[in-house]
Structure formats: C-alpha cells, structure tokens
Coordinates of all heavy atoms in Angstrom, one line a residue:
M1 N 60.8 -3.6 31.8 CA 61.6 -2.4 31.9 C 60.9 -1.2 31.4 O 60.5 -1.1 30.3 CB 63.0 -2.5 31.2 CG 64.0 -1.4 31.5 SD 65.5 -1.8 30.7 CE 65.2 -1.3 29.0
K2 N 60.6 -0.2 32.3 CA 59.8 1.0 32.0 C 60.7 2.0 31.4 O 61.8 2.3 31.9 CB 59.1 1.5 33.2 CG 58.0 2.4 32.9 CD 57.2 2.7 34.2 CE 56.4 3.9 34.1 NZ 55.3 4.0 33.2
K3 N 60.3 2.7 30.4 CA 61.1 3.8 29.8 C 60.5 5.1 30.2 O 59.3 5.3 30.3 CB 61.0 3.7 28.2 CG 61.8 2.6 27.7 CD 62.6 3.0 26.4 CE 63.6 2.0 26.0 NZ 64.2 2.3 24.8
Y4 N 61.4 6.0 30.6 CA 61.0 7.3 31.1 C 61.5 8.3 30.1 O 62.6 8.2 29.5 CB 61.6 7.6 32.4 CG 61.0 6.8 33.5 CD1 61.6 5.8 34.2 CD2 59.7 7.2 33.9 CE1 61.0 5.1 35.2 CE2 59.1 6.5 34.9 CZ 59.7 5.4 35.6 OH 59.1 4.8 36.6
T5 N 60.7 9.4 29.9 CA 61.0 10.5 29.0 C 61.1 11.7 29.9 O 60.2 12.0 30.7 CB 59.9 10.7 27.9 OG1 59.8 9.4 27.2 CG2 60.3 11.7 27.0
C6 N 62.1 12.5 29.7 CA 62.3 13.7 30.5 C 61.1 14.7 30.2 O 60.8 15.0 29.0 CB 63.6 14.4 30.2 SG 63.8 15.9 31.0
H7 N 60.5 15.2 31.3 CA 59.4 16.1 31.1 C 59.8 17.4 30.4 O 59.0 18.0 29.7 CB 58.8 16.4 32.5 CG 57.7 17.4 32.5 ND1 57.8 18.7 32.6 CD2 56.4 17.2 32.3 CE1 56.7 19.3 32.5 NE2 55.7 18.4 32.3
D8 N 61.0 17.9 30.7 CA 61.4 19.2 30.1 C 62.0 19.1 28.7 O 61.6 19.9 27.9 CB 62.5 19.8 31.1 CG 61.8 20.5 32.3 OD1 60.6 20.2 32.5 OD2 62.5 21.2 33.0
C9 N 63.0 18.2 28.5 CA 63.6 18.2 27.2 C 63.1 17.1 26.3 O 63.4 17.1 25.1 CB 65.1 18.1 27.4 SG 65.7 16.5 28.0
G10 N 62.3 16.2 26.8 CA 61.7 15.2 26.0 C 62.6 14.0 25.6 O 62.2 13.2 24.8
R11 N 63.7 14.0 26.2 CA 64.7 12.9 25.9 C 64.3 11.6 26.6 O 63.9 11.6 27.7 CB 66.1 13.4 26.3 CG 67.2 12.8 25.6 CD 68.5 13.6 25.8 NE 68.7 13.9 27.2 CZ 69.2 13.1 28.1 NH1 69.6 11.9 27.7 NH2 69.4 13.4 29.4
T12 N 64.5 10.5 25.9 CA 64.3 9.2 26.6 C 65.5 8.9 27.4 O 66.6 9.0 27.0 CB 64.1 8.1 25.5 OG1 63.0 8.5 24.7 CG2 63.8 6.8 26.2
L13 N 65.3 8.6 28.7 CA 66.4 8.4 29.6 C 66.9 7.0 29.5 O 66.2 6.0 29.2 CB 65.8 8.5 31.1 CG 65.3 9.9 31.4 CD1 64.6 10.0 32.7 CD2 66.4 11.0 31.3
Q14 N 68.2 6.9 29.6 CA 68.9 5.6 29.6 C 68.6 4.8 30.8 O 68.2 5.4 31.9 CB 70.5 5.9 29.5 CG 70.9 6.7 28.3 CD 70.5 6.0 27.0 OE1 70.8 4.8 26.8 NE2 69.8 6.7 26.1
H15 N 68.8 3.5 30.7 CA 68.4 2.6 31.8 C 69.2 2.9 33.1 O 68.6 2.9 34.2 CB 68.8 1.2 31.3 CG 68.4 0.1 32.3 ND1 67.1 0.0 32.9 CD2 69.1 -0.8 32.9 CE1 67.1 -1.0 33.7 NE2 68.3 -1.5 33.8
D16 N 70.5 3.3 33.0 CA 71.3 3.6 34.2 C 71.4 5.0 34.5 O 72.2 5.4 35.3 CB 72.7 2.9 34.0 CG 73.4 3.3 32.7 OD1 72.7 4.1 31.9 OD2 74.5 3.0 32.6
E17 N 70.6 5.9 33.8 CA 70.8 7.3 33.9 C 70.1 7.8 35.2 O 69.0 7.3 35.5 CB 70.2 8.0 32.7 CG 70.6 9.5 32.6 CD 70.1 10.1 31.3 OE1 70.0 9.4 30.3 OE2 69.9 11.3 31.3
E18 N 70.6 8.8 35.9 CA 70.0 9.4 37.0 C 68.8 10.3 36.6 O 68.9 11.0 35.6 CB 71.0 10.2 37.8 CG 72.0 9.3 38.6 CD 73.0 10.2 39.4 OE1 72.5 10.7 40.4 OE2 74.1 10.4 38.9
Y19 N 67.7 10.2 37.3 CA 66.6 11.1 37.0 C 65.9 11.4 38.3 O 66.1 10.8 39.4 CB 65.7 10.4 36.0 CG 65.0 9.2 36.5 CD1 63.8 9.2 37.2 CD2 65.6 7.9 36.3 CE1 63.2 8.0 37.7 CE2 65.0 6.8 36.8 CZ 63.8 6.8 37.5 OH 63.3 5.7 37.9
M20 N 65.0 12.4 38.2 CA 64.2 12.8 39.4 C 62.7 12.6 39.1 O 62.2 13.2 38.2 CB 64.5 14.3 39.6 CG 63.8 14.9 40.8 SD 64.2 14.1 42.4 CE 65.9 14.5 42.6
P21 N 62.1 11.7 39.9 CA 60.7 11.4 39.6 C 59.8 12.4 40.3 O 60.1 12.9 41.4 CB 60.5 10.0 40.2 CG 61.6 9.9 41.2 CD 62.7 10.8 40.9
Y22 N 58.7 12.8 39.7 CA 57.7 13.7 40.3 C 56.3 12.9 40.2 O 55.9 12.6 39.1 CB 57.5 14.9 39.4 CG 58.8 15.8 39.5 CD1 59.8 15.6 38.6 CD2 58.8 16.9 40.3 CE1 60.9 16.4 38.6 CE2 60.0 17.7 40.3 CZ 61.0 17.4 39.5 OH 62.1 18.2 39.5
K23 N 55.8 12.7 41.4 CA 54.5 12.0 41.4 C 53.4 13.1 41.3 O 53.3 14.0 42.2 CB 54.3 11.2 42.7 CG 54.9 9.8 42.5 CD 53.7 8.8 42.6 CE 54.2 7.4 42.2 NZ 53.1 6.6 41.6
V24 N 52.5 13.0 40.4 CA 51.3 13.9 40.2 C 50.1 13.0 40.0 O 50.0 12.3 39.0 CB 51.5 14.8 39.0 CG1 50.3 15.8 39.0 CG2 52.8 15.6 39.1
D25 N 49.3 12.9 41.1 CA 48.2 12.0 41.1 C 48.7 10.6 40.8 O 49.6 10.1 41.4 CB 47.1 12.4 40.1 CG 46.5 13.8 40.5 OD1 46.5 14.1 41.7 OD2 46.1 14.5 39.6
S26 N 48.1 9.9 39.8 CA 48.6 8.6 39.5 C 49.7 8.6 38.5 O 50.3 7.5 38.1 CB 47.4 7.8 39.0 OG 46.8 8.4 37.8
E27 N 50.0 9.8 37.9 CA 51.1 9.9 36.9 C 52.4 10.1 37.6 O 52.5 10.7 38.6 CB 50.8 11.0 36.0 CG 49.4 11.0 35.4 CD 49.5 10.5 33.9 OE1 50.5 9.8 33.6 OE2 48.5 10.7 33.2
T28 N 53.5 9.6 36.9 CA 54.8 9.9 37.4 C 55.5 10.6 36.2 O 55.6 10.1 35.1 CB 55.6 8.6 37.7 OG1 54.8 7.9 38.7 CG2 57.0 9.0 38.3
Y29 N 56.0 11.8 36.5 CA 56.8 12.5 35.5 C 58.3 12.5 36.0 O 58.5 12.4 37.2 CB 56.4 14.0 35.4 CG 54.9 14.1 35.0 CD1 53.9 14.2 35.9 CD2 54.6 14.1 33.6 CE1 52.6 14.2 35.5 CE2 53.3 14.1 33.2 CZ 52.3 14.2 34.2 OH 51.0 14.3 33.8
V30 N 59.2 12.5 35.1 CA 60.6 12.4 35.4 C 61.3 13.6 34.7 O 60.9 14.0 33.6 CB 61.3 11.1 35.1 CG1 60.6 10.0 35.9 CG2 61.2 10.8 33.6
K31 N 62.4 14.0 35.3 CA 63.3 14.9 34.7 C 64.7 14.3 34.7 O 65.1 13.7 35.7 CB 63.4 16.2 35.5 CG 62.2 17.2 35.3 CD 62.5 18.5 35.9 CE 61.3 19.4 35.8 NZ 61.7 20.8 36.1
C32 N 65.4 14.5 33.6 CA 66.8 14.1 33.6 C 67.6 15.0 34.5 O 67.2 16.0 35.0 CB 67.4 14.1 32.2 SG 67.6 15.7 31.4
K33 N 68.8 14.5 34.8 CA 69.7 15.2 35.8 C 69.9 16.7 35.4 O 69.8 17.6 36.3 CB 71.0 14.5 36.0 CG 71.6 14.7 37.4 CD 72.9 14.0 37.5 CE 73.6 14.3 38.8 NZ 74.9 13.7 38.9
S34 N 70.3 16.9 34.2 CA 70.6 18.3 33.8 C 69.4 19.2 33.8 O 69.5 20.4 34.2 CB 71.3 18.3 32.4 OG 70.4 17.8 31.4
C35 N 68.2 18.7 33.4 CA 67.0 19.6 33.5 C 66.7 19.8 35.0 O 66.2 20.9 35.3 CB 65.9 18.9 32.8 SG 66.0 19.0 31.0
H36 N 66.9 18.8 35.8 CA 66.6 19.0 37.3 C 67.5 20.0 37.9 O 67.1 20.8 38.7 CB 66.7 17.7 38.0 CG 66.5 17.8 39.4 ND1 67.5 17.7 40.3 CD2 65.3 18.0 40.2 CE1 67.0 17.8 41.6 NE2 65.7 18.0 41.5
Q37 N 68.8 20.0 37.4 CA 69.7 21.0 38.0 C 69.4 22.4 37.5 O 69.5 23.4 38.2 CB 71.2 20.6 37.6 CG 71.7 19.5 38.5 CD 73.0 18.9 37.9 OE1 73.4 19.2 36.8 NE2 73.7 18.2 38.7
K38 N 68.9 22.5 36.3 CA 68.5 23.8 35.7 C 67.3 24.3 36.4 O 67.1 25.5 36.8 CB 68.2 23.7 34.2 CG 69.4 24.1 33.3 CD 69.0 24.1 31.9 CE 69.2 22.8 31.2 NZ 68.7 22.7 29.8
N39 N 66.3 23.4 36.7 CA 65.0 23.8 37.3 C 64.4 22.7 38.0 O 63.8 21.8 37.4 CB 64.1 24.3 36.2 CG 62.7 24.8 36.8 OD1 62.6 24.9 38.0 ND2 61.8 25.1 35.9
P40 N 64.6 22.6 39.4 CA 64.2 21.5 40.1 C 62.7 21.4 40.3 O 62.1 20.4 40.8 CB 64.9 21.7 41.5 CG 65.2 23.1 41.6 CD 65.4 23.6 40.2
V41 N 62.0 22.5 39.9 CA 60.5 22.5 40.1 C 59.8 22.0 38.9 O 60.2 22.4 37.8 CB 60.0 23.9 40.5 CG1 58.5 24.0 40.6 CG2 60.7 24.4 41.7
L42 N 58.9 21.1 39.1 CA 58.0 20.7 37.9 C 57.0 21.8 37.6 O 56.0 22.0 38.3 CB 57.3 19.4 38.3 CG 56.6 18.7 37.1 CD1 57.6 18.2 36.1 CD2 55.8 17.5 37.6
K43 N 57.3 22.7 36.7 CA 56.6 23.9 36.5 C 55.2 23.7 35.9 O 54.3 24.4 36.2 CB 57.4 25.0 35.7 CG 57.9 24.5 34.4 CD 58.7 25.6 33.7 CE 59.1 25.3 32.3 NZ 60.0 24.1 32.2
S44 N 55.1 22.8 35.0 CA 53.8 22.5 34.4 C 53.6 21.0 34.3 O 54.4 20.4 33.6 CB 53.7 23.2 33.1 OG 52.6 22.7 32.4
F45 N 52.6 20.4 35.0 CA 52.5 19.0 34.9 C 51.2 18.6 34.0 O 50.7 17.6 34.1 CB 52.4 18.3 36.3 CG 51.5 19.0 37.3 CD1 50.2 18.8 37.2 CD2 52.1 19.8 38.2 CE1 49.3 19.4 38.1 CE2 51.2 20.4 39.2 CZ 49.9 20.2 39.1
R46 N 50.8 19.6 33.2 CA 49.9 19.2 32.2 C 50.6 18.3 31.2 O 51.8 18.4 31.0 CB 49.4 20.4 31.4 CG 48.3 21.2 32.2 CD 48.0 22.5 31.5 NE 49.2 23.3 31.4 CZ 49.3 24.4 30.6 NH1 48.3 24.7 29.9 NH2 50.4 25.1 30.6
K47 N 49.9 17.4 30.5 CA 50.5 16.5 29.6 C 51.2 17.3 28.5 O 50.7 18.3 27.9 CB 49.5 15.6 28.9 CG 48.9 14.7 30.0 CD 48.3 13.4 29.4 CE 48.0 12.5 30.5 NZ 47.7 11.2 30.0
T48 N 52.5 17.0 28.3 CA 53.3 17.7 27.3 C 52.9 17.3 25.9 O 52.2 16.3 25.7 CB 54.8 17.5 27.6 OG1 55.0 16.1 27.4 CG2 55.2 17.8 29.0
E49 N 53.5 18.0 25.0 CA 53.3 17.6 23.6 C 53.8 16.2 23.3 O 53.2 15.4 22.6 CB 54.2 18.6 22.7 CG 53.4 19.2 21.6 CD 54.3 20.0 20.8 OE1 55.0 20.9 21.3 OE2 54.4 19.8 19.6
I50 N 54.9 15.8 23.9 CA 55.5 14.5 23.8 C 54.5 13.4 24.2 O 54.3 12.5 23.5 CB 56.8 14.4 24.6 CG1 57.9 15.4 24.0 CG2 57.4 13.0 24.6 CD1 58.5 15.0 22.7
Y51 N 53.9 13.7 25.4 CA 53.0 12.7 26.0 C 51.8 12.4 25.0 O 51.4 11.3 24.8 CB 52.5 13.1 27.4 CG 53.4 12.5 28.4 CD1 54.7 13.1 28.7 CD2 53.1 11.4 29.2 CE1 55.5 12.6 29.7 CE2 53.9 10.9 30.2 CZ 55.1 11.5 30.4 OH 55.9 11.0 31.4
S52 N 51.2 13.5 24.6 CA 50.0 13.4 23.8 C 50.4 12.7 22.4 O 49.6 12.0 21.9 CB 49.3 14.7 23.5 OG 50.2 15.7 23.0
R53 N 51.6 13.0 21.9 CA 52.0 12.4 20.7 C 52.1 10.8 20.9 O 51.7 10.1 20.0 CB 53.3 13.0 20.3 CG 53.3 13.4 18.8 CD 54.7 13.9 18.4 NE 54.9 15.3 18.6 CZ 56.0 15.9 19.0 NH1 57.1 15.2 19.1 NH2 56.1 17.2 19.2
V54 N 52.6 10.5 22.0 CA 52.8 9.0 22.3 C 51.4 8.4 22.4 O 51.2 7.3 21.8 CB 53.6 8.8 23.6 CG1 53.5 7.4 24.1 CG2 55.1 9.2 23.4
V55 N 50.5 9.0 23.1 CA 49.1 8.4 23.3 C 48.5 8.3 21.9 O 47.9 7.3 21.6 CB 48.3 9.3 24.2 CG1 46.8 8.9 24.2 CG2 48.8 9.2 25.6
G56 N 48.6 9.3 21.1 CA 48.0 9.3 19.7 C 48.6 8.2 18.9 O 47.9 7.7 18.0
Y57 N 49.8 7.9 19.1 CA 50.5 6.9 18.3 C 50.1 5.5 18.7 O 49.9 4.6 17.9 CB 52.0 7.0 18.4 CG 52.8 6.0 17.7 CD1 52.8 6.0 16.3 CD2 53.5 5.0 18.3 CE1 53.5 5.1 15.6 CE2 54.2 4.0 17.6 CZ 54.2 4.1 16.3 OH 54.9 3.1 15.6
I58 N 50.0 5.2 20.0 CA 49.7 3.9 20.6 C 48.3 3.4 20.2 O 48.1 2.3 19.8 CB 49.9 3.9 22.1 CG1 51.4 3.9 22.4 CG2 49.3 2.6 22.7 CD1 51.7 4.1 23.9
R59 N 47.3 4.3 20.3 CA 45.9 3.9 20.1 C 45.7 3.2 18.8 O 45.1 2.1 18.8 CB 45.0 5.1 20.3 CG 43.6 4.7 20.6 CD 42.8 5.8 21.2 NE 43.2 6.2 22.5 CZ 43.0 7.4 23.1 NH1 42.4 8.3 22.4 NH2 43.4 7.6 24.3
P60 N 46.0 3.8 17.6 CA 45.7 3.1 16.4 C 46.4 1.8 16.2 O 45.9 0.9 15.6 CB 46.2 4.1 15.3 CG 46.7 5.3 16.0 CD 46.6 5.1 17.4
V61 N 47.6 1.6 16.8 CA 48.3 0.3 16.8 C 47.5 -0.7 17.5 O 47.3 -1.9 17.0 CB 49.7 0.5 17.3 CG1 50.4 -0.9 17.4 CG2 50.5 1.4 16.5
E62 N 46.9 -0.4 18.7 CA 46.1 -1.3 19.4 C 44.9 -1.8 18.7 O 44.5 -2.9 18.6 CB 45.7 -0.7 20.8 CG 46.8 -0.8 21.8 CD 46.4 -0.1 23.1 OE1 45.4 0.6 23.1 OE2 47.2 -0.3 24.1
Q63 N 44.3 -0.8 18.0 CA 43.1 -1.1 17.3 C 43.4 -2.0 16.1 O 42.7 -2.9 15.8 CB 42.4 0.2 16.7 CG 41.6 0.9 17.8 CD 41.2 2.3 17.4 OE1 41.6 2.8 16.3 NE2 40.6 3.0 18.2
W64 N 44.5 -1.8 15.5 CA 44.9 -2.6 14.4 C 45.2 -4.0 14.8 O 44.8 -5.0 14.2 CB 46.2 -2.0 13.8 CG 46.7 -2.7 12.6 CD1 46.3 -2.5 11.3 CD2 47.7 -3.7 12.5 NE1 47.0 -3.3 10.5 CE2 47.8 -4.1 11.2 CE3 48.5 -4.4 13.5 CZ2 48.7 -5.1 10.8 CZ3 49.3 -5.4 13.1 CH2 49.5 -5.8 11.8
N65 N 45.8 -4.2 16.0 CA 46.1 -5.5 16.5 C 44.8 -6.3 16.8 O 44.7 -7.4 16.5 CB 47.0 -5.4 17.8 CG 48.4 -5.2 17.4 OD1 48.8 -5.4 16.3 ND2 49.2 -4.7 18.4
E66 N 43.8 -5.6 17.4 CA 42.6 -6.2 17.7 C 41.9 -6.7 16.4 O 41.4 -7.8 16.3 CB 41.6 -5.2 18.4 CG 41.6 -5.4 19.9 CD 40.8 -4.3 20.6 OE1 39.7 -4.0 20.1 OE2 41.4 -3.8 21.6
G67 N 41.9 -5.9 15.4 CA 41.3 -6.2 14.2 C 42.0 -7.4 13.5 O 41.3 -8.4 13.0
K68 N 43.2 -7.5 13.6 CA 44.0 -8.6 13.1 C 43.7 -9.9 13.8 O 43.5 -10.9 13.2 CB 45.5 -8.3 13.2 CG 46.1 -7.6 12.0 CD 46.2 -8.5 10.8 CE 46.6 -7.7 9.6 NZ 46.4 -8.4 8.3
Q69 N 43.6 -9.8 15.1 CA 43.3 -11.0 15.9 C 41.9 -11.5 15.6 O 41.7 -12.7 15.4 CB 43.4 -10.6 17.4 CG 44.8 -10.6 18.0 CD 44.9 -10.0 19.3 OE1 43.9 -9.8 20.0 NE2 46.1 -9.7 19.7
E70 N 40.9 -10.6 15.5 CA 39.5 -11.1 15.1 C 39.5 -11.7 13.7 O 38.9 -12.8 13.6 CB 38.6 -9.8 15.1 CG 38.2 -9.4 16.5 CD 37.5 -10.5 17.3 OE1 36.6 -11.1 16.8 OE2 38.0 -10.8 18.4
E71 N 40.2 -11.1 12.8 CA 40.3 -11.7 11.5 C 40.9 -13.1 11.5 O 40.4 -14.0 10.9 CB 41.2 -10.8 10.6 CG 41.1 -11.1 9.1 CD 42.2 -10.4 8.4 OE1 43.4 -10.8 8.6 OE2 41.9 -9.5 7.6
Y72 N 41.9 -13.3 12.3 CA 42.6 -14.6 12.4 C 41.7 -15.6 13.0 O 41.6 -16.7 12.5 CB 43.9 -14.4 13.2 CG 44.8 -15.6 13.1 CD1 45.3 -16.0 11.9 CD2 45.1 -16.3 14.3 CE1 46.2 -17.1 11.8 CE2 45.9 -17.4 14.2 CZ 46.5 -17.8 13.0 OH 47.3 -18.9 12.9
K73 N 40.9 -15.2 14.0 CA 40.0 -16.1 14.7 C 38.9 -16.6 13.8 O 38.6 -17.8 13.7 CB 39.4 -15.4 15.9 CG 39.0 -16.3 17.1 CD 38.6 -15.5 18.3 CE 37.3 -14.7 18.1 NZ 37.0 -13.9 19.3
D74 N 38.4 -15.6 13.0 CA 37.3 -16.0 12.1 C 37.8 -17.0 11.1 O 37.1 -17.9 10.7 CB 36.8 -14.7 11.3 CG 36.0 -13.8 12.3 OD1 35.7 -14.3 13.4 OD2 35.7 -12.7 11.9
R75 N 39.0 -16.8 10.6 CA 39.5 -17.6 9.6 C 39.7 -19.1 10.1 O 39.3 -20.0 9.4 CB 40.9 -17.1 9.1 CG 41.3 -17.5 7.7 CD 42.6 -17.0 7.4 NE 42.7 -15.5 7.2 CZ 43.8 -14.8 7.3 NH1 44.9 -15.3 7.6 NH2 43.7 -13.5 7.2
K76 N 40.2 -19.2 11.4 CA 40.3 -20.5 11.9 C 39.0 -21.2 12.1 O 38.9 -22.4 11.8 CB 41.0 -20.4 13.3 CG 42.6 -20.3 13.1 CD 43.3 -20.9 14.4 CE 43.3 -19.8 15.5 NZ 44.2 -20.1 16.5
E77 N 38.0 -20.5 12.5 CA 36.7 -21.1 12.8 C 36.1 -21.6 11.4 O 35.5 -22.6 11.3 CB 35.7 -20.1 13.4 CG 35.9 -20.0 14.9 CD 35.2 -18.8 15.5 OE1 34.5 -18.1 14.8 OE2 35.5 -18.5 16.7
Y78 N 36.3 -20.8 10.4 CA 35.7 -21.2 9.1 C 36.3 -22.5 8.6 O 35.7 -23.4 8.2 CB 36.0 -20.0 8.1 CG 35.7 -20.4 6.7 CD1 34.3 -20.4 6.3 CD2 36.6 -20.8 5.8 CE1 34.0 -20.7 5.0 CE2 36.3 -21.1 4.5 CZ 34.9 -21.1 4.1 OH 34.6 -21.4 2.8
V79 N 37.6 -22.7 8.8 CA 38.3 -23.9 8.3 C 37.8 -25.1 9.1 O 37.5 -26.1 8.6 CB 39.9 -23.7 8.5 CG1 40.6 -25.0 8.2 CG2 40.4 -22.7 7.6
A80 N 37.6 -24.9 10.4 CA 37.2 -26.0 11.3 C 35.8 -26.4 10.9 O 35.5 -27.6 10.8 CB 37.2 -25.6 12.7
D81 N 34.9 -25.5 10.6 CA 33.5 -25.8 10.3 C 33.3 -26.5 8.9 O 32.5 -27.3 8.8 CB 32.6 -24.5 10.3 CG 32.4 -24.0 11.8 OD1 32.7 -24.8 12.7 OD2 32.1 -22.8 11.9
S82 N 34.1 -26.1 8.0 CA 34.0 -26.6 6.6 C 34.4 -28.1 6.6 O 33.9 -28.8 5.8 CB 34.8 -25.8 5.7 OG 36.2 -26.0 5.9
G83 N 35.4 -28.4 7.4 CA 35.8 -29.8 7.5 C 36.5 -30.4 6.3 O 36.6 -31.6 6.2
C84 N 36.9 -29.5 5.4 CA 37.6 -30.1 4.2 C 39.1 -29.6 4.3 O 39.4 -28.5 4.6 CB 37.0 -29.6 2.9 SG 37.0 -27.8 2.6
H85 N 40.0 -30.5 4.0 CA 41.4 -30.2 4.0 C 42.0 -30.4 2.6 O 41.8 -31.4 2.1 CB 42.1 -31.1 5.0 CG 42.1 -30.5 6.4 ND1 42.8 -29.4 6.8 CD2 41.3 -30.8 7.5 CE1 42.5 -29.1 8.1 NE2 41.6 -30.0 8.5
Ligands
ZN1 ZN1 65.8 16.8 30.4

C-alpha cells in the first residue's frame, strides 16, 4: 500500500481519500481534494520541503540497517569457524 502526501499542504492522504495525481517525468505528485479545488494546477513540481525531508530521513536508516546486517553476518561466520560451543 503506497502512501501519498499532498503536494500543497503536505498532509498524508487516507487510504480511501480522493486525490488528484500529477505525473511529472517518473515522479507522481498528488493533491488532496481540497487543495485541488483551491488550485487545480500543479504550480511548482520541484521537490518540496516535505519530500527532501523524507529522503533525508530514509537514507541514514538504510545505512544503519546495512551495517547491522554486516555485523550480524560476521558474527555468525566467526562462531562457525571457531567450532567451539
Ligand atoms: Zn492538500
């Protein structure tokens, strides 16, 4: 289930909420119904503050997960090689 955030007001849209999608290159931007009624034109499709904040937040979490996975793998290999229980 994909979550959409309104381009204008930054609100996360509910699953059953009506919205208006805007395709810009490979990106899809959406507006909630009330923002679309106020202004049906996507006036600026540069990445909004909300979008860059989301990107900035996701990246460190991914790096942390990779590091954790590597650490876990190393630990398992060490136990197998040592052969002592
Ligand atoms: Zn909105």
Side-chain angles (χ1 to χ4, degrees):
M1 188 174 78
K2 197 170 158 68
K3 285 225 171 173
Y4 287 111
T5 304
C6 174
H7 177 268
D8 280 14
C9 68
R11 204 162 50 78
T12 302
L13 299 172
Q14 300 300 307
H15 183 53
D16 55 354
E17 196 175 330
E18 288 181 76
Y19 64 88
M20 182 59 64
Y22 295 84
K23 272 250 169 204
V24 182
D25 296 331
S26 58
E27 305 259 18
T28 304
Y29 300 93
V30 298
K31 281 192 186 195
C32 67
K33 203 180 176 186
S34 61
C35 286
H36 177 253
Q37 280 169 347
K38 265 188 270 178
N39 183 8
V41 178
L42 190 66
K43 55 182 185 297
S44 166
F45 48 80
R46 281 172 302 168
K47 294 204 172 193
T48 63
E49 232 185 303
I50 296 286
Y51 268 78
S52 54
R53 232 184 268 148
V54 167
V55 169
Y57 178 71
I58 285 170
R59 197 165 291 156
V61 173
E62 276 176 352
Q63 279 168 2
W64 184 85
N65 281 343
E66 260 173 46
K68 272 287 176 197
Q69 277 166 16
E70 282 304 306
E71 191 194 67
Y72 190 63
K73 205 170 70 185
D74 287 350
R75 205 182 292 159
K76 274 207 282 197
E77 277 167 8
Y78 172 77
V79 171
D81 287 343
S82 70
C84 63
H85 275 282

